[in-house]
Amino acid sequence: MRAHYRAEGLDEGDLAAHPMAQFSRWFEQAAQAAVHGFVHEPNAMVVSTADAEGRPSSRTVLLKQYDDQGFVFYTNYDSRKAHELAHNPYISLLFPWHPMARQVIVTGTARRTDREETAAYFRTRPHGSQLGAWASTQSAVISGRSELDVTYAELDARYPEGEQVPVPPHWGGFRIAPQTVEFWQGRENRLHDRLRYVAEPDGGWRIERLSP
């Protein structure tokens, strides 16, 4: 179980000045690879949080937006990750674009998006996903699948296709402000290129190379 990675590398001179601009370059390339069936769900990322005692947990979620301010995903605010972020805002994101021998690893802090931004995104979700946000008591123990299906059916009857579904008060987004962003490019002989942006106090970014 050993893959041989690509020969082409990642050089400091090729990087954008801002990590989000560099992320945009790589994300667009991953999205294009997805069009050709080479990468599956390029916006899937592993989100890692830790509770107040430092015990970590990870799960895969979908990136829904990114800009100069960072990365945004949406979730149930009663979920495990949301509860952990309420006590410990430090977070890590990992984009595993394995077919391209690339990873992007982010560390930073998370804060909730405002309700206006949350509502604007919620309106773009498919009808079934809007109902699902109400039906799921995310991370809570339930008696069985039937409990979830019955709740969804009741919501579907209350808000049939075409009717506006209200935004759940317990549901919304998190925006991750990056403190470090590492771009990992697989190379031959396990001598990978690892270039990391580190936020400076003056608002700039320092770029450093890490040993593989």
Side-chain angles (χ1 to χ4, degrees), residues 104-117:
V104 179
I105 305 159
V106 179
T107 65
T109 55
R111 62 174 175 82
R112 292 187 180 190
T113 57
D114 61 42
R115 295 310 291 172
E116 182 178 343
E117 183 177 0

Side-chain angles (χ1 to χ4, degrees), residues 131-132 135 146-160:
L131 297 180
S146 61
E147 177 183 336
L148 190 63
D149 292 338
V150 167
T151 301
Y152 182 89
E154 292 172 348
L155 288 162
D156 195 26
R158 188 184 311 167
Y159 303 108

Side-chain angles (χ1 to χ4, degrees), residues 70-87:
F71 308 82
V72 177
F73 69 89
Y74 290 86
T75 189
N76 188 312
Y77 285 147
D78 292 327
S79 65
R80 177 177 180 177
K81 56 184 170 295
H83 279 297
E84 290 183 345
L85 289 172
H87 293 94

